[in-house]
Amino acid sequence: MTGSRTERLRQAGGNAVAMWTALARARGDGVLERPGFAAIDGRRFRIMLRTGEPDGDTTRELTELARVKRAEGRAVVVEDPFRVLELHHLGMTAGRLPVMVREPAPVPDERTVTRVRTAAELAVAEAVVVDGFPLEEYQPLEPGTVFPHVLLDQAVFVKGGEGACVTMDHGGVGGVYWVTTLPEHRSKDVGRALMHAVLRHFEDRPVTLTAARAGKSLYDKLGFTELGDANWWR
């Protein structure tokens, strides 16, 4: 690994914050930014830790935010890629998902995948992700609510109507989100084709992602390595 594990984990976390805050602002959701964390007030209340060494004020403020929002009946998720928070006393439990990175390396060209360029193409990718991921809180889909037009500034990839994914270019790394294949097209290498396109796009930079357990074997085969398990408190 070219970069240190700690640095890559910090970059992965910063990329995710950039992704979700950009989407939140485009949707008109509230965003609270602090040096140690970001909080997004959308359909759920999302708190994202920025540092593996939060000071006491950071920990107290984000913990109180989570407590208050849960007391209001909100769905709250706290993303801690560094596994330094302890939120059991709020009645929250931590699920774990691996954060992974792939350093720059050659990858096959993938001509069956295209980069989204138009609003109509973005709507196709949005529908694939909402139906295939699935994003149940956005069903039935109101076009543009999940993928606002701001995503056209980033690289969104689609393979026909079979699969799609979103990327974020930020902080010296490419981040990959919502790698999705529709159920009827699974086990046909759609995910691999999408990832080849992503890796070609970021050919000179590391690529990071948080892997669903079902997709981890693919990422292993593509040369991704684990940085560690992130805690997702809910």
Side-chain angles (χ1 to χ4, degrees):
M1 186 177 293
T2 304
S4 73
R5 187 174 298 271
T6 300
E7 174 63 9
R8 289 288 183 258
L9 192 58
R10 184 195 64 77
Q11 289 175 305
N15 190 284
V17 169
M19 171 72 171
W20 296 114
T21 55
L23 287 177
R25 290 191 173 98
R27 294 168 180 161
D29 296 337
V31 177
L32 173 66
E33 296 215 56
R34 295 286 190 262
F37 71 92
I40 298 166
D41 192 357
R43 296 203 177 191
R44 67 184 69 183
F45 197 86
R46 181 190 299 264
I47 301 173
M48 308 179 74
L49 190 65
R50 296 179 185 272
T51 174
E53 298 179 342
D55 59 25
D57 288 342
T58 293
T59 301
R60 282 189 291 272
E61 184 178 9
L62 74 82
T63 300
E64 180 63 8
L65 270 173
R67 186 194 68 78
V68 168
K69 295 303 178 182
R70 282 171 59 83
E72 292 173 354
R74 297 291 304 281
V76 175
V77 58
V78 180
E79 297 180 25
D80 174 14
F82 311 97
R83 287 175 56 186
V84 295
L85 298 175
E86 173 50 63
L87 301 177
H88 284 111
H89 65 288
L90 297 181
M92 303 182 78
T93 58
R96 290 182 176 174
L97 293 172
V99 181
M100 306 184 77
V101 65
R102 184 187 188 273
E103 298 295 331
V107 65
D109 193 7
E110 186 51 70
R111 299 183 183 277
T112 65
V113 175
T114 57
R115 179 176 173 178
V116 166
R117 298 290 185 183
T118 68
E121 292 169 342
L122 186 63
V124 171
E126 179 184 43
V128 168
V129 169
V130 171
D131 290 342
F133 201 77
L135 300 180
E136 295 177 354
E137 66 268 34
Y138 288 99
Q139 296 173 343
L141 174 63
E142 296 178 20
T145 56
V146 182
F147 286 10
H149 287 184
V150 69
L151 280 182
L152 290 173
D153 295 334
Q154 300 297 327
V156 178
F157 293 97
V158 64
K159 186 179 188 302
E162 303 170 5
C165 66
V166 178
T167 71
M168 168 60 69
D169 187 353
H170 177 85
V173 298
V176 191
Y177 304 87
W178 289 319
V179 180
T180 307
T181 303
L182 289 176
E184 61 269 29
H185 297 291
R186 289 174 187 164
S187 301
K188 298 178 182 178
D189 285 337
V190 174
R192 183 184 298 275
L194 289 167
M195 289 304 302
H196 282 168
V198 168
L199 294 171
R200 290 276 292 193
H201 178 72
F202 292 112
E203 61 183 353
D204 61 343
R205 277 160 290 173
V207 173
T208 65
L209 53 81
T210 299
R213 297 293 175 184
K216 185 177 179 299
S217 62
L218 169 62
Y219 305 133
D220 288 336
K221 292 172 184 175
L222 290 171
F224 282 81
T225 58
E226 287 192 51
L227 296 171
D229 282 345
N231 277 346
W232 287 57
W233 294 92
R234 301 179 189 273

